[in-house]
Amino acid sequence: MRARFDRIFQTPHRLATLDRLLARLHANKPELLMVLDRPEIPLHTNGSENDIRCQVTKRQGQRRHAQRCGRDCRDAFLGLAKTCAKLGISFWDYLGARLVIAGNPAIPYLPQLVAQRCPTA
């Protein structure tokens, strides 16, 4: 795979822009091929990017700037909602448990839930 990588990225072309781009990518060879030595490394960051995607879409739809406090609050709640979804629990049940609303199920704090799922984290 490494030899093939070298062949692809070191073959000269007639386009200077393409050759510069390929040279730049080849310079990052150790990082780009790290997955060969460490298969646990994800090949993409789509999960992380997806976590913020709905907020970016919402922000692009807004024509005004939110106050910093409101933006921070929105981002915190969005992070909680995404984490709850990943853990398979209802965001509203989690929020109700934190606010001690009668009739809500008892749900542990998120750090405890994450630690249960990922004991090495």
Side-chain angles (χ1 to χ4, degrees):
M1 188 67 85
R2 287 176 174 80
R4 187 173 184 194
F5 185 92
D6 289 337
R7 220 175 25 253
I8 291 169
F9 288 95
Q10 290 182 319
T11 301
H13 298 83
R14 294 180 186 168
L15 302 169
T17 305
L18 178 60
D19 287 338
R20 281 194 305 270
L21 175 63
L22 293 174
R24 188 174 53 120
L25 288 170
H26 190 267
N28 294 323
K29 179 182 175 180
E31 291 84 12
L32 292 171
L33 296 183
M34 187 179 297
V35 72
L36 297 176
D37 298 322
R38 309 256 331 261
E40 71 275 9
I41 296 174
L43 294 175
H44 56 75
T45 59
N46 290 349
S48 301
E49 291 168 2
N50 185 45
D51 287 350
I52 63 168
R53 183 81 231 141
C54 64
Q55 182 50 47
V56 170
T57 303
K58 181 178 179 181
R59 185 175 60 231
Q60 288 174 346
Q62 295 175 339
R63 296 292 178 207
R64 60 182 170 74
H65 295 285
Q67 296 293 324
R68 180 176 175 83
C69 181
R71 184 175 49 244
D72 291 346
C73 183
R74 179 196 60 223
D75 291 347
F77 274 91
L78 179 63
L80 282 173
K82 289 285 189 174
T83 303
C84 286
K86 284 182 178 182
L87 294 171
I89 62 173
S90 164
F91 168 72
W92 297 109
D93 287 346
Y94 179 80
L95 192 59
R98 297 293 69 80
L99 298 174
V100 194
I101 295 176
N104 261 12
I107 298 176
Y109 286 95
L110 288 180
Q112 293 169 320
L113 292 170
V114 170
Q116 290 171 0
R117 291 267 180 107
C118 309
T120 59

